[in-house]
Amino acid sequence: MTTTHPLFQITAIPNSGLGAVATAPITRGTLLISEAALFLLTADFLTTAAANAGIAAKLRTLSPPQLHAFLALTNAHTADTTHPFAGIVRTNALPCGVDAVECGVFLTCSRFNHSCNPNANYCWNEKTRQEVVHAVKDIAAGEQISVSYLDEEATNYPRAQRQQRLKKDFGFECRCSVCSGDAAAVAASDGRRSEVGRLDALVGGGRLMMGSPQKALGCCKRMLALLGEEGIQDVSLYRTYYDAFQICVAHGDLARAAVLARLGVAVKVACHGSEAVEDELWTYIRSPEKHRLASMSRRWATKVGDAKEIGSEGFEEWLWARAR
């Protein structure tokens, strides 16, 4: 089976079933697809005993070609012979946003294969009520397009734990470039990811931000370096920039806060598209003082006009001058 789209085709991938392969060079930030759901479900359809009956009702609304395409999707839960429809949905459904109460089944978006170092990112666009996939790296023609099936926490697990999660939830052993490296490469990757998880927990707790902001900023700087070493260019970068933004804005450093907001928004636009960027994030680029944490302390007081231009000589040193 081969299905062609403007920038990629869905085709057979050795040892991986069907997957998406780029048919032309794709640049970071490119929208690959915006797809309406075949059908939407409330999240409890994945766990309740009534799941199969509820999903069957949805399937009766589909055309014969749509039903055939749904039944052709992978079911990683074949051991549960009582609920085959629910198994397909559990394997392929995508959440409709953060903390979503709905999930959707998408015939094309469900065909993107997993990588622990993906070159694309999918997310729900609430404005269009569609699932969108953007390239988060430059992708060469003939290269497979991959997304991550793991949540933020599991992304930072060591290889063995990631494999366990993927096997349990999706029924496959990951053979991506990160997981198939030699022992030394896997150990180095595990170390970087574990350290990102540890630092993220330190910063996310909030106490470090107010009690030792220099150290908190240092954690952010280190996370960005580790993510760079891993080759990760997805929303993990945005979350780290936003943490650093909050640290600076809380202590009155509006110059660095404005720059960090701009860097974070640039990542989010590349990963999610400009439509998905919340209005307040654009506001923080111009007026970081409008953030709820602004100037809880004045220890680092600066003005937005004091900011150094991104990419200018000495920019990185200036941006992280307060980190330790």
Side-chain angles (χ1 to χ4, degrees):
M1 172 184 174
T2 299
T3 305
T4 302
H5 296 265
L7 293 172
F8 63 91
Q9 63 180 7
I10 303 298
T11 188
I13 306 292
N15 302 313
S16 298
L18 297 178
V21 175
T23 54
I26 300 170
T27 58
R28 172 174 165 80
T30 298
L31 174 64
L32 300 175
I33 187 172
S34 182
E35 182 181 18
L38 186 63
F39 54 82
L40 297 174
L41 299 163
T42 55
D44 59 5
F45 269 109
L46 303 185
T47 55
T48 63
N52 222 47
I55 295 167
K58 294 282 186 179
L59 297 182
R60 285 194 288 272
T61 69
L62 303 181
S63 67
Q66 289 175 322
L67 178 60
H68 177 78
F70 171 82
L71 294 174
L73 293 173
T74 301
N75 180 1
H77 305 279
T78 53
D80 182 5
T81 57
T82 308
H83 304 100
F85 299 153
I88 293 174
V89 171
R90 287 172 61 195
T91 306
N92 295 281
L94 299 172
C96 298
V98 179
D99 300 323
V101 296
E102 283 186 310
C103 60
V105 174
F106 303 85
L107 293 181
T108 298
C109 289
S110 295
R111 291 300 188 184
F112 289 92
N113 286 326
H114 166 83
S115 172
C116 296
N117 192 347
N119 55 22
N121 179 88
Y122 49 31
C123 74
W124 176 251
N125 187 319
E126 185 60 38
K127 294 178 181 177
T128 62
R129 299 290 290 173
Q130 294 192 342
E131 192 74 11
V132 295
V133 181
H134 287 81
V136 298
K137 299 181 180 181
D138 292 342
I139 303 172
E143 184 179 352
Q144 184 175 182
I145 302 171
S146 59
V147 295
S148 175
Y149 295 176
L150 298 171
D151 58 34
E152 179 183 350
E153 181 180 2
T155 295
N156 293 324
Y157 288 168
R159 177 186 182 277
Q161 288 180 262
R162 296 198 308 275
Q163 293 282 16
Q164 185 179 34
R165 171 70 68 86
L166 292 166
K167 187 71 173 178
K168 175 178 178 292
D169 292 346
F170 302 102
F172 70 88
E173 179 181 344
C174 183
R175 299 185 179 89
C176 74
S177 59
V178 181
C179 292
S180 59
D182 60 32
V186 169
S189 174
D190 285 354
R192 287 190 289 266
R193 289 172 185 254
S194 295
E195 181 67 357
V196 168
R198 185 187 73 83
L199 294 171
D200 186 53
L202 270 177
V203 175
R207 181 179 300 180
L208 197 67
M209 178 178 73
M210 297 310 300
S212 182
Q214 297 96 331
K215 185 176 179 180
L217 270 184
C219 290
C220 293
K221 180 183 180 184
R222 180 59 179 153
M223 279 191 283
L224 290 170
L226 290 166
L227 291 168
E229 290 171 24
E230 276 292 279
I232 294 175
Q233 297 184 45
D234 61 15
V235 288
S236 300
L237 295 175
Y238 161 73
R239 290 190 292 266
T240 307
Y241 279 127
Y242 189 73
D243 282 342
F245 160 80
Q246 290 190 107
I247 295 163
C248 286
V249 82
H251 294 281
D253 191 345
L254 301 184
R256 288 177 178 83
V259 169
L260 289 162
R262 186 178 297 278
L263 291 169
V265 164
V267 173
K268 194 160 191 180
V269 167
C271 295
H272 291 174
S274 58
E275 283 189 346
V277 178
E278 298 87 341
D279 291 341
E280 60 265 27
L281 295 181
W282 295 108
T283 298
Y284 298 153
I285 292 174
R286 302 183 301 274
S287 305
E289 70 278 4
K290 293 185 178 181
H291 190 271
R292 61 183 178 81
L293 297 178
S295 299
M296 293 179 68
S297 142
R298 298 287 296 170
R299 68 193 296 174
W300 292 346
T302 63
K303 299 176 181 178
V304 173
D306 298 332
K308 199 169 183 65
E309 185 178 349
I310 295 174
S312 62
E313 184 177 355
F315 170 75
E316 288 293 326
E317 292 79 3
W318 170 82
L319 183 63
W320 300 107
R322 304 193 193 279
R324 64 170 175 81

